Structures are given as C-alpha cells and as structure tokens.
Amino acid sequence: MSNVLVTGGAGYIGSHACKALRNAGFTPVTYDNLCTGWEDAVKFGPFEKGELHDRAALDAVFETYKPVAVMHFAALSQVGDSMKQPGQYWHNNVGGSLVLFEAAIAAGCLNIVFSSTCATYGEHDNVLLDETIEQRPINAYASSKRAIEDMLQDYENAHGLRNVIFRYFNVAGADPDAEVGEFHQPETHLVPLMLDAIAGKRDALTIYGTDYDTPDGTCIRDYVHVCDLVDAHVLGLRWLLEGKESRVFNLGSGTGFSVREVVDQSRAVNNRAVPISEGERRPGDCTKLVSGSTRAEKELGWTPTRSKMDTMIADAWKWHQTGHYDR
Ligand code: UDP
C-alpha cells in the first residue's frame, strides 16, 4: 500500500482526509505538532509528532515511509488571529511550508496536494469567484496561503514539484460515523460555536457584523461538507499520481448562506433556538465568498453528496453530541 504524508493529520480536515485515504487504499502517515490537533484523532495510520520547521525530523519521516505524495494541511488558520499576529502566520505557514517542500524535493517526493483558501480572492463585487479571478487577500492568513501557492509555482518550475492546490470555501460538518469531527481550542468557527450555544455550552452565538452590504446585513459564505472536501483530495492525489499537470481547484458548493441563514437552518435541523447576540464586525472578514466554479466537478469528477446545509449541520450535531467537545 502506498504511503501518503499528511501534515496536520491530527486536525479537523486532516483527520477526515486520513480516513478517506485509508478507505481509498492508501496509508496516511500523520505529521503534526499537535499545536491545534488532537492525537486521538489519528486513527487511520501511523503518527509522527513533529514541527514543519524541523528539517531533520522531516528527512527521517520521508526516509522511513517513502510517501508517494504529501497532503499539506498543517497551518494556522484563524482570520481574526492572523490580523493580530501576522508574524506567526508568515513564520508557521510560509516558513514551515518552505522547509517541508525542500525536504520533499530532497527525498524525491514530488507530488503535493495543498490546502489553500478562497480567502485569497479577497473582496470582489458581483464577480463569480472562479480559479481565474485575481487573488487580493485582505488578511494575513490568506496572504500566507497565497504566498505558499506562489512558492509551489516557483518550486515546480525549478524542481518539478507538481501540485494540486485546493482553494476551500467554508468547511463544515463531520464524519457521519462520528469517528472524527471538528474541535478547535479555542473554537472560532461558526457552526461549532452555534452548536455550543444551542447546547448551553456558551451563552450565545455572537454574529460578527450586521451592517454588511448583503440582504440581511450578515456575511455570506459558501459551505462545503468536510467529507466531500476530502474526497476531492483523494481525486487530486490520483490526478497527480496519473501524471497530470499541476492545477488549482475551488472547493465549494456554489451556494451562499448568510450567518443568519445558517442559524435559521440549524433551527430547522434540531428544532432548537440558537441564542444570538449581535456584535461588531470581525477584522479581516470579507463580505461575501461564494464559489463560481465547477472545475473540480468537470475535471476531477468530484461529486459532492453531503454539502446541503441541513446535512452538514446534522452531521456536526451528531459529532457534537459524542462529547468529544467536553475535553
Ligand atoms: N461568524 C460569526 N460569529 C462567530 C464565528 C463566525 O458571525 O462566532 C461569521 C464570520 O464573521 C463569517 C462566518 O461566520 O462571516 C464564517 O466564519 P468562520 O470563522 O466559521 O470561517 P471563515 O469564513 O473565517 O473561514
């Protein structure tokens, strides 16, 4: 069985990717420093604890496992936090990726599946966000991701480091078997915070800004189920292993939901009111991010099956009730 090195495999998306890889016949080797991940989320293959900046540790992992590819999820990923401490994002995300790519090239592992973000597009009024749109990030998280995309381009030109870049829209939901799910400490994402508020684990969900230029004044995002998202990664991996050219793909559902609409959908799923408070805008938030591309469907053959909002909330709620949040 082929090994795939999964950086950030102990995190939310990485752990789901490990399950998808295992189910597709690969062995996922998690490389994670557990700064935001959880060792008990590593269930589908070996675990190597380490830093992206630790070149010697990475060299040893490449030597031991001889992976056919790297799926690179490990990153700091909070928009608000990135505005307060941009240096951490440049150091960890950009600097760490640089060391990882150098190690991969030295080991002859020249296939990278990289997790990027739709936040690299920034603000575009009334323009469909497809992969050809100019990237104009407005927060340090997105700037760091765009820098890594640029780095990959340069490394491909110089060293043949082939890559599939996925620009995620908003990832939500959980493994329907509830083996893994979303848990960040501290939590900053809308769906888990909303479920916490419903379950009485926090007083209320604060809506960050109600004066945006949208129909109900709250930000609009495109939500995609984590299981659909990681299925695309397996397709991206196969794409590279088949020798196809490097490519960028948006991963979104193509449908926008405002924060208030997500809250309303939640009420429909579990019949419980979400306690709400209205707060200030969060620095760095774009007004609207919705994918306008079907490239992943057309070229990769990606067919999302769980990315309806009610399914995502129901799966997240099922995971929430397992008590994994009660650490
Ligand atoms: N949001 C909110 N309250 C929260 C967390 C998020 O109103 O407690 C909003 C946020 O402003 C954004 C959307 O929900 O418009 C999604 O935010 P999240 O942090 O989940 O993902 P991001 O868009 O930053 O990747």
Side-chain angles (χ1 to χ4, degrees):
M1 258 197 305
S2 300
N3 293 330
V4 175
L5 184 62
V6 182
T7 74
Y12 169 43
I13 301 171
S15 61
H16 287 79
C18 287
K19 181 168 181 176
L21 283 167
R22 197 271 321 261
N23 289 348
F26 296 92
T27 299
V29 179
T30 290
Y31 188 82
D32 198 303
N33 67 359
L34 300 182
C35 79
T36 57
W38 306 96
E39 191 164 355
D40 59 7
V42 183
K43 299 180 169 178
F44 310 104
F47 177 48
E48 296 284 346
K49 187 172 179 201
E51 301 287 336
L52 288 177
H53 281 277
D54 188 342
R55 175 65 192 269
L58 281 169
D59 285 346
V61 166
F62 277 107
E63 174 61 25
T64 303
Y65 295 98
K66 302 190 170 39
V68 293
V70 179
M71 280 195 189
H72 180 29
F73 298 98
L76 300 176
S77 62
Q78 293 173 24
V79 168
D81 182 46
S82 81
M83 299 298 278
K84 293 186 196 131
Q85 32 190 4
Q88 299 254 10
Y89 283 70
W90 284 88
H91 177 75
N92 187 74
N93 295 0
V94 181
S97 297
L98 191 149
V99 179
L100 173 69
F101 298 158
E102 293 277 344
I105 291 162
C109 177
L110 298 178
N111 299 308
I112 306 278
V113 178
F114 175 57
S115 97
S116 187
T117 170
C118 66
T120 59
Y121 294 123
E123 298 276 13
H124 292 268
D125 284 342
N126 299 319
V127 178
L128 282 182
L129 294 180
D130 67 23
E131 294 85 351
T132 65
I133 292 294
E134 186 192 354
Q135 292 173 291
R136 300 194 300 238
I138 64 165
N139 59 64
Y141 163 60
S143 297
S144 74
K145 289 287 185 174
R146 190 188 58 177
I148 300 164
E149 290 193 16
D150 290 347
M151 198 194 308
L152 279 169
Q153 181 71 59
D154 289 341
Y155 275 61
E156 174 164 32
N157 294 341
H159 305 293
L161 188 68
R162 295 164 59 256
N163 55 83
V164 163
I165 293 171
F166 287 118
R167 294 186 187 141
Y168 306 165
F169 284 73
N170 285 59
V171 188
D175 171 29
D177 304 328
E179 284 191 275
V180 284
E182 183 168 17
F183 182 76
H184 300 102
Q185 194 72 281
E187 190 53 78
T188 63
H189 293 105
L190 177 62
V191 172
L193 287 175
M194 180 177 74
L195 299 183
D196 275 353
I198 291 172
K201 291 182 185 162
R202 61 183 64 236
D203 292 341
L205 172 75
T206 303
I207 296 184
Y208 294 145
T210 53
D211 60 348
Y212 283 95
D213 185 16
T214 61
D216 67 17
T218 65
C219 288
I220 294 176
R221 296 285 181 275
D222 173 333
Y223 294 84
V224 57
H225 196 294
V226 64
C227 292
D228 288 335
L229 186 98
V230 297
D231 284 350
H233 285 64
V234 174
L235 294 169
L237 171 66
R238 292 197 196 283
W239 172 281
L240 287 174
L241 296 181
E242 285 164 11
K244 293 183 180 158
E245 63 181 7
S246 297
R247 198 75 168 133
V248 177
F249 297 98
N250 280 357
L251 294 178
S253 69
T255 306
F257 285 84
S258 72
V259 176
R260 286 195 203 282
E261 286 172 332
V262 173
V263 168
D264 288 346
Q265 284 275 326
S266 169
R267 206 171 286 139
V269 171
N270 52 30
N271 208 19
R272 300 222 214 162
V274 183
I276 291 294
S277 76
E278 295 184 359
E280 298 294 311
R281 290 184 177 199
R282 183 173 65 177
D285 268 345
C286 298
T287 306
K288 179 176 176 181
L289 290 166
V290 179
S291 179
S293 165
T294 55
R295 183 187 285 182
E297 285 91 331
K298 285 189 186 129
E299 297 187 14
L300 285 178
W302 183 49
T303 44
T305 58
R306 301 193 75 80
S307 291
K308 288 216 172 71
M309 183 55 74
D310 53 356
T311 309
M312 287 188 279
I313 294 173
D315 286 349
W317 181 238
K318 184 175 174 188
W319 160 255
H320 193 273
Q321 289 181 304
T322 61
H324 280 86
Y325 285 105
D326 304 326
R327 286 172 197 259

